Amino acid sequence: MYTNALLTDLYQLTMMQGLYFEGKHNQACVFDRYYRHNPFSGGYTVVAGLDHLIEYVKNIHFSDDDLAYLKSTGNFRDEFLDYLKNFHFTGSIYAMPEGTVAFPQEVLLRVETTKNESLLLETCMSMIMNHESLIATKARRVRCVAGTQDTLMEFGLRRAQGASAGVYGARSAMIGGFNGTSNMLAGARFGIPVMGTMAHSWIMSFPTELEAFRCYAKHYPNSLILLADTYNTLKQGVPDAITIFQEMKDAGTLPPFYGIRLDSGDLAYLSKEAHKMFAAAGFPDAVIAASNDLDENLIAQLKLQGSTISSWGVGTNLITAKDSPSMGGVFKMAGQYENGTFVPKIKMSDNAEKISNPGRKNVLRIYDKVTGKMKADIIVLEGETIDESQDLRLSSDITPWRFRIIPAGSYTVRTMLQPIFLQGELVYQQPTLAEIIDYANDEIDTLWPEYKRLVNPEMMWVQRSETLSKLRHEVLSAEAAHFQ
Ligand SMILES: Nc1ncnc2c1ncn2[C@@H]1O[C@H](COP(=O)(O)OP(=O)(O)OP(=O)(O)O)[C@@H](O)[C@H]1O
Ligand SMILES: O=P(O)(O)OC[C@H]1O[C@H](OP(=O)(O)OP(=O)(O)O)[C@H](O)[C@@H]1O
Ligand SMILES: O=C(O)c1cccnc1
């Protein structure tokens, strides 16, 4: 059987073989994972994918079939393939927990291990974390406009780009604040509440819509969301739903949660009219659910238009992150050990934004002590601390004339990267999905609304510490000296 060790790019394996024959494969090094722009032109990213990444790292090894395939490509020598037989992860990983809100340029995850292990991890790690963080962020944007009371149902499996995207996307949607999914495999694997209504095919399978509704109510009297738009929503769907609700009310079987789903037409208008009709018939608490290519922008629009929808099915636009379909997280080397000494490394670029930060780093998050809201993130060298009893000066090394003083005693500091693996051992107590969801909900509350708005959000202040700026300047100058 092939394993996920092959879930990588050819060049990682050819570089690994090259380093192996050069005797450099076990050279210790440090890699950082970070990204440069928030997806959806938003103000934040919700970190997700760590659980999946841990499974991948724990299990990484080459099977006989993997090795036979590598040999068959003609690129790899027997001695290297023998070395791969015992390959496993021996290093350390530090990461922001799932559900954390994060910002461009900051280290989301740091890997300290051998060169070859770092190379092998890069592709799959990036794939997992880019995808899951993207979907969690999209879901959070939807939750932010839906408010805390509305129900959000993830309906995207049929439009997902493959099984993995559907299943892990459903889990990420939960981290982003959804209430449940229609995806049964995600429900089974992650314990996510499964939710759903019915398809148009159910309605079309009966001589009349009324019979379709009545039959559904007979089999599922406790979860009764009737799809009301198959023929004519206001002239037939809603009146038929009222007939069924009345029959159940008369029989004393009307469940506490009942209503309709709209899947076409003007959702604002139809929901308002349907609500009026339900209220007039004595069913003011009938739930109105809606779907149809929804996303955070449409939901915000529908709310502005006074829709009475309180349950939203969101599929395609969420599961494919349609308006921002990839997250550009990268994995860059920040340094390596040469003859026992750590040598910080930098990736140069003509584009200043793309020049990487050297060294072993962490992120310190500054919160207002009274409000608990986030004020800034400072990318520091590992081990750097901030004394909360001193004034804190926030200023960027790019625009040093712009600065802000945070008075002593008015702020708290939190270290963002937590140890996940140490010397190959998993040391992280993996939270349950329910715990991650609670944490993610608390995390988003640390942002003022200005950072969460859909359009032109405020950008979180992220800066390098003075020590890191100095190191970066030194490494940059030393590199530049080579070609002067
Ligand atoms: N009041 C509204 N304001 C803004 N957008 C809306 C409103 N009502 C619906 N929409 C959105 O408009 C898009 C198109 O809706 P429309 O009803 O034309 O869909 P449709 O799938 O073409 O309908 P049908 O299934 O009847 O062909 C959908 O994304 C839908 O969510
Ligand atoms: O619109 P999305 O956000 O992608 O949400 C999922 C969509 O999937 C279903 O439609 P589909 O036409 O596939 O099947 P149906 O016959 O059940 O409506 C459902 O009715 C939603 O419209
Ligand atoms: O249960 C539903 O209503 C549902 C599930 C998947 C896709 N669309 C709708």
Side-chain angles (χ1 to χ4, degrees):
M1 235 180 40
Y2 296 126
T3 76
N4 284 343
L6 294 189
L7 200 50
T8 188
D9 300 299
L10 172 65
Y11 80 162
Q12 309 287 16
L13 286 154
T14 51
M15 287 190 288
M16 286 167 67
Q17 175 168 256
L19 290 171
Y20 174 79
F21 285 112
E22 292 302 314
K24 292 182 171 174
H25 55 295
N26 283 331
Q27 184 176 24
C29 57
V30 176
F31 274 75
D32 294 333
R33 182 180 141 65
Y34 61 96
Y35 68 91
R36 299 191 182 102
H37 302 284
N38 288 319
F40 317 106
S41 306
Y44 60 87
T45 288
V46 176
V47 173
L50 186 59
D51 208 61
H52 190 179
L53 178 77
I54 290 171
E55 282 314 301
Y56 162 71
V57 172
K58 271 198 317 199
N59 293 316
I60 197 158
H61 72 284
F62 287 86
S63 68
D64 290 344
D65 286 341
D66 294 336
L67 296 170
Y69 170 69
L70 290 178
K71 190 173 167 66
S72 76
T73 66
N75 287 310
F76 301 102
R77 289 153 57 184
D78 287 343
E79 190 184 328
F80 175 66
L81 296 174
D82 276 349
Y83 147 81
L84 288 184
K85 278 184 188 158
N86 294 318
F87 188 96
H88 60 282
F89 184 69
T90 62
S92 301
I93 296 181
Y94 302 81
M96 289 188 186
E98 286 190 287
T100 303
V101 285
F103 306 94
Q105 305 299 341
E106 52 198 43
V107 186
L108 310 175
L109 180 143
R110 186 176 88 223
V111 177
E112 299 186 2
T113 191
T114 64
K115 193 62 72 59
N116 269 9
E117 289 173 26
S118 306
L119 291 182
L120 192 65
L121 289 189
E122 172 174 4
T123 303
C124 196
M125 166 187 290
S126 299
M127 176 196 75
I128 290 171
M129 304 209 74
N130 281 330
H131 169 244
E132 295 180 38
S133 300
L134 182 71
I135 305 303
T137 306
K138 182 73 173 170
R140 182 54 70 184
R141 288 169 65 78
V142 176
R143 172 53 77 193
C144 283
V145 298
T148 51
Q149 300 305 310
D150 288 6
T151 304
L152 293 177
M153 304 177 283
E154 188 283 305
F155 277 176
L157 182 59
R158 66 192 57 197
R159 308 269 150 64
Q161 282 128 337
S164 173
V167 171
Y168 286 103
R171 181 179 180 280
S172 306
M174 296 301 291
I175 296 176
F178 271 54
N179 298 93
T181 181
S182 61
N183 182 331
M184 294 302 288
L185 186 55
R189 282 183 59 181
F190 305 122
I192 301 174
V194 285
M195 310 180 152
T197 68
M198 65 183 66
H200 294 108
S201 60
W202 172 271
I203 310 293
M204 292 186 276
S205 304
F206 292 80
T208 64
E209 185 181 57
L210 188 63
E211 285 165 273
F213 284 179
R214 191 174 284 126
C215 183
Y216 198 87
K218 180 179 83 181
H219 290 289
Y220 302 102
N222 295 323
S223 65
L224 195 67
I225 298 293
L226 302 168
L227 182 58
D229 73 332
T230 307
Y231 302 116
N232 186 316
T233 304
L234 297 181
K235 290 210 167 89
Q236 192 178 313
V238 173
D240 280 348
I242 290 172
T243 303
I244 299 300
F245 300 155
Q246 191 61 53
E247 286 175 6
M248 295 181 86
K249 194 174 182 180
D250 294 344
T253 56
L254 189 66
F257 186 79
Y258 67 98
I260 57 164
R261 174 164 72 99
L262 303 173
D263 189 46
S264 59
D266 183 329
L267 297 174
Y269 171 75
L270 291 175
S271 70
K272 285 187 278 190
E273 291 303 307
H275 177 72
K276 277 190 230 156
M277 291 164 74
F278 286 136
F283 300 102
D285 52 354
V287 168
I288 302 186
S291 50
N292 192 9
D293 272 334
L294 295 175
D295 65 4
E296 68 276 36
N297 302 306
L298 272 176
I299 293 173
Q301 270 297 320
L302 291 167
K303 283 190 170 281
L304 270 177
Q305 294 169 38
S307 86
T308 60
I309 299 159
S310 61
S311 177
W312 308 88
V314 187
T316 314
N317 289 317
L318 168 67
I319 212 72
T320 64
K322 199 167 176 179
D323 51 337
S324 195
S326 70
M327 176 143 185
V330 296
F331 190 60
K332 296 281 176 205
M333 195 165 87
Q336 62 184 5
Y337 286 84
E338 295 176 10
N339 304 317
T341 306
F342 181 70
V343 180
K345 292 279 176 186
I346 209 163
K347 161 74 181 72
M348 307 270 284
S349 169
D350 288 343
N351 178 349
E353 185 200 61
K354 287 195 166 181
I355 300 173
S356 62
N357 287 317
R360 290 182 71 225
K361 297 176 294 296
N362 209 317
V363 177
L364 298 181
R365 183 157 291 181
I366 314 299
Y367 295 95
D368 184 281
K369 211 171 193 166
V370 176
T371 62
K373 299 289 188 207
M374 218 191 128
K375 289 187 97 66
D377 269 344
I378 307 189
I379 309 171
V380 296
L381 288 179
E382 182 59 74
E384 270 193 82
T385 53
I386 291 176
D387 181 353
E388 294 171 19
S389 69
Q390 302 292 315
D391 285 355
L392 175 65
R393 184 186 159 95
L394 295 181
S395 86
S396 138
D397 50 11
I398 301 171
T399 53
W401 56 90
R402 280 181 65 207
F403 67 90
R404 216 158 35 121
I405 302 290
I406 313 283
S410 75
Y411 65 92
T412 57
V413 181
R414 173 179 169 213
T415 304
M416 298 308 291
L417 297 184
Q418 296 190 11
I420 310 295
F421 286 88
L422 291 178
Q423 275 94 48
E425 289 297 312
L426 178 65
V427 296
Y428 184 57
Q429 284 279 337
Q430 281 169 271
T432 62
L433 181 58
E435 289 167 337
I436 295 170
I437 290 167
D438 284 347
Y439 168 73
N441 289 337
D442 291 345
E443 272 288 286
I444 200 74
D445 279 348
T446 65
L447 301 185
W448 289 109
E450 289 76 6
Y451 297 92
K452 297 189 258 190
R453 67 177 174 238
L454 298 184
V455 181
N456 296 328
E458 201 56 48
M459 286 294 145
M460 183 54 68
W461 184 269
V462 178
Q463 68 171 70
R464 284 177 276 271
S465 69
E466 258 180 59
T467 323
L468 174 59
S469 287
K470 197 161 159 276
L471 176 71
R472 189 167 186 261
H473 185 73
E474 283 165 12
V475 179
L476 258 176
S477 307
E479 285 300 334
H482 290 141
F483 51 81
Q484 266 163 12

